[in-house]
């Protein structure tokens, strides 16, 4: 079980494996570099033995207003780009599969974006699903696909608090 979700620091990342080579490789080799370069903020879930059982990354992002579904775009100013937050990567270790760690990571990420949105304008939270299974995970919490890219999903900030409640109730 998770003891804490905290910023990536001097954690031992070598034993983490989610079973997806691209995610594992990024986490082992580039997550720290992305942190130092201010490209992403990385947060890790640790258990009672301080082992990493999951992680996610957050970055700022912009959405082209033309990519949004019409029902959202018509309510926004006609700017070319709209501010958003990106949950760029989210993974849990294979050792904790089925324990709800992904739900807790998602809820924590959304909560952090809600907090940031009090100081920085954020219209929506965006996620990039690797496959249909991952897209279904995000849809279950209220994320909606972009019409032209079904594996890129978004949630307006106006719906984010409700999504946190759903994630924590699963």
């Amino acid at each position: 079980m998770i003891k804490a979700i905290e910023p990536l620091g001097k954690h031992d990342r070598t034993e983490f494996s989610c079973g997806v080579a691209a995610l594992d490789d990024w986490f082992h080799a580039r997550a720290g570099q992305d942190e130092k370069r201010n490209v992403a903020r990385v947060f890790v879930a640790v258990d009672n033995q301080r082992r990493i059982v999951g992680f996610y990354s957050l970055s700022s992002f912009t959405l082209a207003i033309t990519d949004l579904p019409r029902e959202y775009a018509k309510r926004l100013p006609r700017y070319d780009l709209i501010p958003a937050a990106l949950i760029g990567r989210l993974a849990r270790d294979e050792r904790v599969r089925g324990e709800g760690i992904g739900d807790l990571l998602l809820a924590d990420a959304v909560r952090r974006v809600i907090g940031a949105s009090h100081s920085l304008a954020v219209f929506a939270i965006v996620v990039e699903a690797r496959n249909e299974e991952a897209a279904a995970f995000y849809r279950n919490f209220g994320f909606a696909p972009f019409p032209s890219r079904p594996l890129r999903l978004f949630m307006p900030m106006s719906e984010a608090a409700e999504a946190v409640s759903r994630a924590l109730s699963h």
Side-chain angles (χ1 to χ4, degrees), residues 15-46:
E15 293 187 26
F16 180 88
S17 176
C18 68
V20 177
L23 286 170
D24 288 340
D25 291 346
W26 177 83
F27 186 61
H28 294 147
R30 293 186 301 283
Q33 292 173 1
D34 283 359
E35 266 283 341
K36 288 176 190 161
R37 294 177 180 152
N38 288 318
V39 174
R41 292 289 171 246
V42 181
F43 297 89
V44 294
V46 295

Side-chain angles (χ1 to χ4, degrees), residues 62-83:
T62 55
L63 294 171
I65 195 164
T66 55
D67 290 342
L68 290 168
R70 285 190 74 210
E71 64 267 21
Y72 291 98
K74 70 182 180 185
R75 291 183 261 158
L76 292 169
R78 295 291 163 235
Y79 300 138
D80 292 339
L81 299 173
I82 301 296

